[in-house]
Amino acid sequence: MRGLHLTADLYECRCEQRWLSDGAALGAWLGEAASAAGLDVLQQLTEPAGDRGGISAAMLLPYSHVCVHTWPAQRGVAIDVYLASDAGDPSAKAHGLMTAFVNHFAPQWTEQRSLDRGGDDT
Amino acid sequence: MRGLHLTADLYECRCEQRWLSDGAALGAWLGEAASAAGLDVLQQLTEPAGDRGGISAAMLLPYSHVCVHTWPAQRGVAIDVYLASDAGDPSAKAHGLMTAFVNHFAPQWTEQRSLDRGGDDT
């Protein structure tokens, strides 16, 4: 049950507004980005996140997930990429996908963390 | 876009086996646990996670998510509870839900982290 969990909070994103507020556009792009990163998505959810126009999205993968939340007014995005090591070292795919996210949303600055998960079962 | 993100990796869980391998049972329990914690779930996914009998589940909430992955053979569970602060301090709900998870799966030991997310937009 080892895995790599990358988190990123993106501020003052300079991307087109639709990527922060258009659920259909964002959802389609997320699926394409996951496929381009070589990930096998089991299911995907994209939902309006309330009365302030944001989007909340989740992609479920085997023993893994990718979640994205957008705050259009603040031009902010919160991203989680959690990939299990069940199919080998997930580091390249996880970092590749996170880089694609950051390039896509084009933030002025980010706060990012990397967590090694589930390493105590050996 | 502030939020509280709790992660937990649970080892040698002593719960009934169905909570680790029965997607319908686990999915129903997750929904009940979220409701009991006072959370408003937008949508929920529960999927078999591959050929080793695990379950991957996600609950999408406004600007928030809860994800659970189970590894029945190792009796392990990975949990994420990420709650935005949009509707007030999420600390009590997040910790309450995580405590419910730990009590439910009854691990021999856990590895838990608490991350303050999205605090740089003020």
Side-chain angles (χ1 to χ4, degrees):
Chain A
M1 52 182 287
R2 286 174 185 269
L4 177 62
H5 190 161
L6 304 180
T7 77
D9 298 301
L10 279 51
Y11 303 96
E12 296 189 16
C13 293
R14 294 162 293 183
C15 61
E16 293 176 35
Q17 183 69 22
R18 63 180 175 141
W19 301 121
L20 305 176
S21 56
D22 181 337
L26 177 61
W29 184 84
L30 291 175
E32 292 167 7
S35 293
L39 297 173
D40 173 29
V41 176
L42 295 170
Q43 276 212 55
Q44 183 174 355
L45 291 175
T46 307
E47 289 288 317
D51 54 6
R52 276 172 294 165
I55 306 295
S56 284
M59 294 189 288
L60 203 58
L61 300 83
Y63 305 102
S64 305
H65 64 264
V66 175
C67 293
V68 175
H69 305 284
T70 71
W71 285 262
Q74 295 96 325
R75 303 197 68 81
V77 182
I79 301 169
D80 284 81
V81 175
Y82 171 92
L83 298 186
S85 301
D86 295 66
D89 183 356
S91 181
K93 287 181 180 178
H95 285 286
L97 184 57
M98 187 59 86
T99 298
F101 282 138
V102 173
N103 289 341
H104 185 71
F105 291 110
Q108 288 278 15
W109 75 94
T110 73
E111 185 179 9
Q112 301 193 45
R113 294 183 177 100
S114 175
L115 308 178
D116 291 315
R117 299 279 303 267
D120 283 359
D121 62 337
T122 55
Chain B
M1 52 182 286
R2 286 174 184 270
L4 177 63
H5 190 161
L6 304 180
T7 77
D9 298 301
L10 279 50
Y11 303 97
E12 295 190 15
C13 292
R14 295 161 294 183
C15 61
E16 294 176 34
Q17 183 69 23
R18 64 179 173 140
W19 301 122
L20 304 176
S21 56
D22 182 336
L26 177 60
W29 184 85
L30 291 175
E32 292 167 7
S35 293
L39 297 173
D40 173 30
V41 177
L42 295 170
Q43 276 213 56
Q44 183 174 356
L45 292 174
T46 308
E47 290 287 318
D51 54 6
R52 276 172 295 166
I55 307 294
S56 284
M59 293 189 289
L60 203 57
L61 300 84
Y63 305 102
S64 306
H65 63 265
V66 176
C67 293
V68 175
H69 305 283
T70 71
W71 285 262
Q74 295 97 324
R75 302 198 67 82
V77 182
I79 301 169
D80 283 81
V81 175
Y82 171 92
L83 299 185
S85 301
D86 296 65
D89 183 356
S91 182
K93 288 181 179 178
H95 286 286
L97 183 59
M98 187 59 86
T99 299
F101 282 138
V102 172
N103 289 342
H104 185 72
F105 292 110
Q108 288 277 16
W109 75 94
T110 72
E111 185 179 9
Q112 300 193 44
R113 295 184 178 100
S114 175
L115 308 179
D116 292 313
R117 298 279 302 266
D120 283 359
D121 61 338
T122 55

